[in-house]
Amino acid sequence: MPELPEVEVVRSGVEPAVTGAVVAAVEVFEERSLRRHVRAFGSFVDLLVGRRILAAVRRGKFLWLPLDTGNALVIHLGMSGQVLLRTPGSPGDRQLRIRLHLDHPEHGELWLNFVDQRIFGSMAVDSMQATSDGMPAGFAGAAAGDWSGRIPSQVAHIARDPIDPAFSSDAFLSALARRKTGIKRALLDQTLISGIGNIYADEALFAARLHYNQRADSLARPKATMLLGAVRTILNRALAEGGTSFDAQYVNVNGESGYFSHSLTAYGQQGQPCPRCGTTLVREQFMNRSSHLCPRCQRLR
DNA sequence: CAGGCTTCCTGCGCGC
DNA sequence: TGCGCGCAGGAAGCCT
């Protein structure tokens, strides 16, 4: 469920704690949380212990911590993943899957707990490769370094997200115009545009008055441009509402970090009147998940 | 080869 | 009260 804004909250929250820290030890409590770690590349623990973390970078819903070896610790939260910072000796978090013991030159020793109920999330150490366009691989706050133009290999196929300065609106709109699939499928396709999940897809489609199954190639360019604008507006609003400080992240117990539900006008609002026309909002099954929409404002054309 | 379906997962809430 | 089922959905991988 974490989408771009929630992952960015995690990134900005852990950034001060991990940047410059050395990994002193690693505990893996759940092997399935390493599903995306390629064992042939080396032992997850061995590739981390003794290494210094250089930054915290995000593209879409993917987060990675570049290491002084040139590799990166790749983190994906999946459906239910959380990254929690803890004082050493703290009582164990429920569903704790992996723990990193960090030694930070300023903050001292701390634990980075990877908690994940459904185990759709994962951690992996991966090699890095140059970005195909030579631009910074993702968002890293104000930080920059040799790692900036490099991306973990297993993230290389993920498209840039719409709030990335290097995101090409033109290329996206052109690709959209060639897609024969439904517009919601396209929005959720992380190789086309990243960072959008079920919740913000529904929000953006509501704002743009589009039915989830409207074919992507049927949208006139101005309509597609308007939809992209709606996506950006919604993601930026959630980002503004989700800002969490280092201290807040440190003590955050539930760590769910958002779902900024007060700003949702479509998702989960079935049965409520449409804010535009008063028609009752509905929930429909689509792609094995639910879509929330106004049957009057968002008609299939 | 684009498109789309299946699979992986656990906790919670609901109905009987 | 307790059991079992349905539901939540990100993304890899497979099939058509």
Side-chain angles (χ1 to χ4, degrees):
Chain A
M1 304 245 293
E3 302 180 28
L4 186 156
E6 291 77 24
V7 179
E8 176 53 27
V9 166
V10 172
R11 192 208 65 79
S12 61
V14 301
E15 181 179 37
V18 301
T19 304
V22 170
V23 181
V26 177
E27 293 174 275
V28 177
F29 304 105
E30 176 53 76
E31 284 293 325
R32 290 175 297 176
S33 292
L34 298 181
R35 188 178 293 124
R36 290 178 62 104
H37 178 79
V38 179
R39 300 189 85 93
F41 186 60
S43 146
F44 177 78
V45 173
D46 293 347
L47 286 164
L48 281 173
V49 173
R51 310 286 34 114
R52 189 177 297 276
I53 296 170
L54 306 178
V57 193
R58 180 194 53 74
R59 174 187 288 206
K61 305 171 197 171
F62 279 85
L63 179 66
W64 65 89
L65 311 180
L67 305 171
D68 58 3
T69 47
N71 296 325
L73 171 60
V74 181
I75 304 170
H76 197 285
L77 301 178
M79 281 290 296
S80 52
Q82 301 168 236
V83 176
L84 305 172
L85 300 172
R86 294 281 183 252
T87 306
S90 299
D93 291 300
R94 212 157 115 81
Q95 293 134 10
L96 175 62
R97 309 304 186 193
I98 296 167
R99 173 183 286 145
L100 268 58
H101 296 241
L102 301 181
D103 200 350
H104 193 279
E106 291 163 46
H107 303 299
E109 295 180 11
L110 55 89
W111 284 351
L112 186 153
N113 283 357
F114 181 69
V115 170
D116 189 11
Q117 179 208 120
R118 268 165 274 187
I119 323 184
F120 279 19
S122 63
M123 278 188 163
V125 178
D126 196 9
S127 59
M128 306 260 276
Q129 61 189 58
T131 56
S132 52
D133 55 8
M135 302 294 284
F139 184 68
D146 292 341
W147 43 266
S148 298
R150 301 180 69 74
I151 188 165
S153 297
Q154 63 178 245
V155 187
H157 67 291
I158 299 294
R160 292 185 177 280
D161 60 63
I163 61 167
D164 184 332
F167 177 87
S168 168
S169 299
D170 209 57
F172 169 71
L173 293 169
S174 298
L176 204 59
R178 290 191 299 268
R179 286 279 167 142
K180 303 182 194 333
T181 188
I183 185 61
K184 183 169 179 182
R185 266 204 163 87
L187 287 181
L188 294 176
D189 183 345
Q190 305 296 303
T191 66
L192 194 61
I193 184 170
S194 71
I196 306 168
N198 199 45
I199 295 177
Y200 296 125
D202 280 4
E203 292 296 312
L205 291 171
F206 175 81
R209 305 186 191 215
L210 280 167
H211 189 275
Y212 55 81
N213 224 7
Q214 186 72 41
R215 268 176 59 150
D217 62 358
S218 75
L219 302 189
R221 184 86 169 198
K223 186 70 175 178
T225 303
M226 184 247 214
L227 173 63
L228 178 57
V231 166
R232 287 204 171 101
T233 300
I234 281 152
L235 293 179
N236 280 318
R237 187 192 313 153
L239 274 171
E241 290 172 9
T244 304
S245 69
F246 171 62
D247 288 339
Q249 182 77 8
Y250 201 89
V251 297
N252 188 5
V253 177
N254 78 29
E256 205 71 39
S257 76
Y259 279 108
F260 322 129
S261 53
H262 45 287
S263 68
L264 299 181
T265 51
Y267 185 88
Q269 305 301 306
Q270 65 274 14
Q272 300 293 315
C274 169
R276 275 192 302 252
C277 74
T279 304
T280 303
L281 299 176
V282 298
R283 183 176 76 178
E284 295 179 4
Q285 286 302 116
F286 174 68
M287 286 174 72
N288 245 352
R289 56 206 55 185
S290 39
S291 284
H292 309 74
L293 71 157
C294 171
R296 184 170 174 194
C297 296
Q298 298 170 264
R299 273 189 281 227
L300 197 55
R301 295 177 184 282

